[in-house]
């Protein structure tokens, strides 16, 4: 925590108002139990101006007794107010102290118990203390709330020359599914336990806050920055490695932390908050369950990303999207179709990878429109190919779950004139995580239209066999992760061989993607894989180059001459 003078000047507005407008014995102390502020009546009663570095123990030495000291420790640890009865050394003068948490430590409201109004006064002070506590603390976790957090930053910033303050923004990872699946009661329990874990790693001059939902923050006053902040952030991340047990169920919730340092990353509230938010975004982008310290390069990356997001909204209208086609090869039977791959050529940046722009389009609700354009273009291109060739088009989860998908597919089939059995729609297992009736109805309706359905990237996500039982896919695509080391890794061989056997046993075809060597192709052919796809067999091509590719590959055996 800051020194006594700094802490006193940093009292929250709620606390200052309370002290200024009450004619009671109320005093505030930092987390080292040094007096930081008090009412005029308290200052006069205890002559605190005559004491140097006054502490709680100077004012109320009775609180050092084991029983009363444990009550104070309880308030510090849990943030819940306690009423404590004390007497003087001769056991004559009885007083009631209401001890409560504040932004900087604890507060004490004293009822003068010698009067005939002792009970009424005690209750009044208790009510006042509780009102102050409720106004400045989160009810669920007992942590200081967003109001306290804002007051603290407002009072502390800008930090003076030579001082340093670290702000940590903390988001819980994978918390939403707990509320969705187990209910808000379980979610509240996890939030309370999460607050305890955060508090459990704090040291002196470190304060945690609950901002909202599953968002927390920590303010740390240390000179050795960013090393001290990174130490604490790592401790917070590690504190969430163990599961939370709720009603006998182990729940895994991680923590991502973004760190910003004042004054280097900003010496005003908005600047520092923005820097911490950007660092938190980087932590989540890098895989979550980790901490990241703000750097200027993060800001540049974010600004570039926002520029791309703005550009994405007009990319379709300005004709910046295009499609490339990668061949499917059937062993001993040459090319049998192509997969359509969406590309974006930005006028300033150049080619943007799908892994970058598709999540943006999904988040901004653009995938339905983009997907409809892509599907129509791919079907039109397929109409210029041999009539037995298929065209595969990926459906993003956002597009699949968008209302009216089956109607759009039916309209495009009618508009382009392509046979339904020549269209293959690829979905990933993430689409099926919520196995709702609507999802299964959508798949069944597409199947009734005659469209082929392929389960993409099988083996890398959840790979629940119940998916295969609930819906009879036409094709299973083995992810390239299992193909890349297929020639020398026995585990990969066993897994791929099992997927092929399982799929064939269920009446489904198998496609292997990511085939890059002749040895991989030969192994897969030997094991009975139905279709192969990868750079060894053909790179993605623009639509205009497919005719020439087919002429060159005609009558070429599967053994490898299909490379372009």
């Amino acid at each position: 925590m800051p020194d006594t003078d700094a802490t006193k000047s940093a009292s929250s507005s709620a606390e200052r108002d309370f002290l200024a407008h009450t004619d009671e014995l109320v005093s505030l102390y930092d987390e080292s139990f040094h007096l930081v502020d008090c009412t005029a009546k308290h200052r006069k009663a205890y002559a605190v101006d005559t004491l140097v570095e006054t502490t709680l123990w100077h004012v109320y030495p009775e609180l050092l007794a084991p029983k009363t000291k444990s009550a104070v420790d309880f308030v510090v640890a849990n943030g819940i107010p306690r009423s404590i009865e004390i007497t003087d050394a001769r056991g004559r003068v009885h007083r009631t102290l209401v001890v409560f948490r504040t932004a900087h430590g604890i507060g004490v409201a004293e009822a003068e118990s010698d009067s005939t109004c002792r009970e009424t006064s005690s209750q009044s002070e208790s009510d006042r203390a509780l009102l102050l506590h409720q106004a400045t603390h989160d009810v669920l976790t007992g942590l200081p709330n967003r109001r306290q957090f804002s007051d603290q930053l407002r009072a502390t910033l800008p930090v003076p020359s030579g001082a340093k303050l670290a702000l940590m923004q903390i988001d819980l990872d994978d918390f939403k599914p707990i509320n969705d699946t187990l209910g808000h009661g379980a979610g509240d329990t996890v939030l309370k336990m999460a607050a305890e874990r955060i508090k459990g790693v704090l040291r002196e001059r470190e304060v945690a806050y609950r901002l909202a939902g599953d968002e927390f923050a920590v303010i740390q006053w240390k000179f050795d920055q960013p090393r001290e902040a990174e130490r604490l952030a790592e401790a917070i991340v590690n504190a969430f490695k163990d599961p939370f047990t709720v009603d006998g169920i182990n729940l895994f919730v991680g923590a991502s932390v973004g760190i910003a340092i004042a004054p280097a990353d900003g010496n005003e509230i908005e600047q520092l908050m923005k820097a911490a938010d950007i660092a938190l975004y980087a932590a989540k982008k890098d895989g979550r369950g980790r901490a990241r310290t703000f750097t200027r390069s993060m800001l540049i990356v974010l600004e570039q990303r926002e520029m791309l997001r703005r550009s994405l909204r007009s990319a379709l209208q300005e004709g910046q999207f295009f499609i490339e086609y990668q061949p499917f090869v059937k062993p001993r039977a040459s090319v049998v179709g192509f997969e359509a791959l969406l590309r974006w050529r930005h006028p300033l940046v150049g080619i943007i990878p799908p892994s970058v722009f598709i999540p943006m389009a999904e988040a901004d609700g653009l995938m339905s429109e983009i997907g409809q354009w892509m599907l129509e273009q791919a079907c039109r291109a397929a109409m210029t190919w041999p009539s037995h060739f298929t065209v595969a088009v990926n459906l993003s989860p956002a597009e699949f779950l968008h209302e009216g998908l089956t109607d759009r597919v039916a309209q495009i089939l009618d508009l382009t004139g392509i046979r339904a059995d020549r269209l293959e729609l690829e979905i990933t297992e993430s689409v099926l995580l919520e196995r709702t009736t609507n999802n299964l109805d959508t798949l069944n309706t597409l199947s009734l239209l005659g469209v082929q359905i392929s389960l993409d990237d099988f083996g890398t996500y959840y790979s629940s066999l119940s998916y295969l039982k609930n819906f009879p896919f036409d094709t299973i695509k083995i992810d390239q992760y299992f193909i890349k080391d297929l020639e020398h890794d026995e585990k990969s061989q066993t897994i791929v061989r099992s997927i092929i056997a399982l799929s064939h046993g269920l009446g489904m075809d198998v496609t292997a993607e990511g085939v890059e060597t002749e040895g991989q192709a030969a192994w897969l052919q030997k094991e009975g894989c139905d279709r192969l796809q990868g750079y060894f067999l053909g790179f993605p091509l623009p639509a205009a180059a497919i005719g020439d590719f087919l002429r060159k590959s005609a009558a070429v055996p599967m053994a490898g001459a299909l490379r372009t």
Side-chain angles (χ1 to χ4, degrees):
M1 296 293 294
D3 59 37
T4 300
D5 291 339
T7 306
K8 181 175 178 178
S9 66
S11 297
S12 74
S13 60
E15 292 164 359
R16 289 195 299 270
D17 291 344
F18 181 71
L19 294 175
H21 294 93
T22 183
D23 185 26
E24 306 292 348
L25 293 163
V26 182
S27 50
L28 304 179
Y29 305 83
D30 65 18
E31 294 205 352
S32 297
F33 301 107
H34 285 86
L35 181 70
V36 295
D37 210 347
C38 63
T39 61
K41 186 172 184 178
H42 187 281
R43 188 179 302 277
K44 181 178 179 180
Y46 289 94
V48 294
D49 287 334
T50 65
L51 296 179
V52 178
E53 292 193 353
T54 305
T55 68
L56 175 67
W57 321 119
H58 287 120
V59 179
Y60 300 111
E62 299 89 346
L63 292 179
L64 286 171
K67 184 176 180 180
T68 53
K69 180 64 164 57
S70 66
V72 173
D73 292 340
F74 175 86
V75 175
V76 172
N78 297 282
I80 301 174
R82 292 287 297 271
S83 292
I84 304 174
E85 299 285 341
I86 62 172
T87 60
D88 66 5
R90 291 174 293 180
R92 293 179 180 177
V93 181
H94 297 271
R95 287 172 291 173
T96 299
L97 307 181
V98 178
V99 183
F100 54 93
R101 275 300 298 252
T102 69
H104 318 293
I106 64 170
V108 178
E110 177 183 342
E112 298 176 277
S113 303
D114 270 353
S115 71
T116 58
C117 299
R118 172 188 174 197
E119 184 176 347
T120 302
S121 178
S122 174
Q123 184 61 47
S124 174
E125 287 305 316
S126 177
D127 290 344
R128 289 169 183 263
L130 286 171
L131 285 173
L132 177 61
H133 184 274
Q134 291 168 359
T136 56
H137 287 73
D138 173 54
V139 175
L140 179 65
T141 64
L143 292 178
N145 60 15
R146 181 180 286 276
R147 177 179 177 180
Q148 283 273 53
F149 173 75
S150 299
D151 283 347
Q152 181 64 82
L153 284 183
R154 190 175 297 109
T156 306
L157 297 176
V159 296
S161 177
K164 289 186 179 180
L165 176 149
L167 169 61
M168 279 158 262
Q169 295 272 45
I170 306 165
D171 262 13
L172 303 190
D173 303 323
D174 299 316
F175 175 75
K176 185 178 182 297
I178 293 175
N179 274 341
D180 293 343
T181 58
L182 299 179
H184 289 280
D188 287 349
T189 300
V190 170
L191 288 173
K192 286 189 283 188
M193 290 191 288
E196 290 302 317
R197 291 194 184 185
I198 294 172
K199 287 196 298 183
V201 298
L202 298 182
R203 299 178 181 176
E204 187 180 0
R205 297 175 181 250
E206 298 168 350
V207 180
Y209 305 81
R210 183 189 178 201
L211 304 186
D214 62 344
E215 301 173 18
F216 295 82
V218 169
I219 298 177
Q220 178 195 59
W221 291 266
K222 300 282 186 180
F223 285 101
D224 189 9
Q225 298 292 8
R227 190 173 74 173
E228 281 292 336
E230 290 171 347
R231 171 200 59 77
L232 175 57
E234 193 64 29
I236 292 172
V237 170
N238 289 334
F240 284 78
K241 298 293 186 183
D242 293 331
F244 294 84
T245 303
V246 180
D247 294 332
I249 302 173
N250 285 338
L251 305 173
F252 289 88
V253 175
S256 296
V257 185
I259 304 168
I261 310 296
D265 300 332
N267 214 5
E268 296 178 359
I269 292 178
E270 291 76 12
Q271 291 176 328
L272 198 63
M273 289 283 288
K274 181 179 179 182
D277 280 338
I278 291 171
L280 177 61
Y281 175 84
K284 288 185 171 291
K285 186 69 176 175
D286 289 348
R288 304 189 300 176
R290 63 197 65 209
R292 290 291 180 266
T293 303
F294 174 78
T295 63
R296 296 296 168 185
S297 62
M298 290 179 183
L299 181 59
I300 294 172
V301 169
L302 185 64
E303 289 174 344
Q304 290 176 339
R305 183 178 181 84
E306 289 307 307
M307 180 272 290
L308 289 179
R309 173 170 271 115
R310 291 191 296 270
S311 300
L312 186 60
R313 293 190 172 275
S314 59
L316 185 58
Q317 287 71 30
E318 296 179 5
Q320 296 171 14
F321 289 117
F322 65 99
I323 300 174
E324 291 185 326
Y325 298 87
Q326 188 171 27
F328 289 120
V329 172
K330 194 175 183 67
R332 302 188 181 92
S334 192
V335 180
V336 293
F338 293 87
E339 178 179 2
L341 303 170
L342 183 63
R343 303 287 188 254
W344 179 21
R345 184 184 289 109
H346 190 279
L348 298 178
V349 181
I351 302 298
I352 309 297
S355 60
V356 172
F357 73 81
I358 287 181
M360 290 183 188
E362 290 178 333
D364 290 352
L366 302 175
M367 270 315 299
S368 180
E369 185 180 359
I370 295 172
Q372 183 172 350
W373 173 86
M374 180 183 179
L375 182 59
E376 181 178 338
Q377 296 301 309
C379 288
R380 290 189 185 280
M383 289 297 288
T384 68
W385 308 338
S387 60
H388 65 284
F389 275 25
T390 60
V391 59
V393 180
N394 288 277
L395 289 180
S396 77
E399 188 180 0
F400 180 84
L401 298 173
H402 194 276
E403 187 177 354
L405 171 65
T406 55
D407 290 339
R408 290 196 300 276
V409 172
Q411 290 169 3
I412 289 174
L413 291 176
D414 291 339
L415 182 65
T416 60
I418 191 171
R419 292 196 325 269
D421 64 339
R422 294 185 61 196
L423 174 60
E424 181 178 335
L425 297 177
E426 297 187 1
I427 65 171
T428 62
E429 290 171 290
S430 57
V431 168
L432 302 175
L433 283 180
E434 297 180 19
R435 287 174 288 173
T436 64
T437 302
N438 288 340
N439 288 356
L440 294 178
D441 284 348
T442 298
L443 289 173
N444 283 307
T445 302
L446 291 171
S447 183
L448 288 173
L449 288 174
V451 172
Q452 298 185 62
I453 307 296
S454 175
L455 184 57
D456 199 9
D457 299 333
F458 186 79
T460 58
Y461 292 94
Y462 300 89
S463 301
S464 172
L465 297 182
S466 62
Y467 301 153
L468 306 184
K469 178 182 178 182
N470 289 331
F471 181 82
F473 293 94
D474 297 288
T475 303
I476 300 295
K477 290 191 75 173
I478 305 175
D479 189 77
Q480 58 187 341
Y481 173 80
F482 300 105
I483 305 301
K484 63 182 179 181
D485 54 2
L486 189 62
E487 295 177 75
H488 52 79
D489 186 87
E490 292 185 1
K491 291 183 179 178
S492 290
Q493 291 176 2
T494 300
I495 291 170
V496 172
R497 190 179 289 116
S498 298
I499 295 174
I500 292 173
L502 173 65
S503 301
H504 287 169
L506 295 172
M508 304 175 190
D509 287 340
V510 182
T511 299
E513 57 184 357
V515 180
E516 297 184 354
T517 69
E518 185 172 0
Q520 292 169 351
W523 191 94
L524 290 162
Q525 177 179 331
K526 178 183 176 183
E527 294 298 325
C529 189
D530 301 289
R531 293 188 310 183
L532 311 181
Q533 181 185 21
Y535 291 161
F536 174 72
L537 305 161
F539 291 94
L541 304 164
I546 289 179
D548 186 51
F549 172 79
L550 292 176
R551 284 189 292 273
K552 288 181 179 179
S553 62
V556 174
M558 189 268 165
L562 289 180
R563 296 186 67 182
T564 59

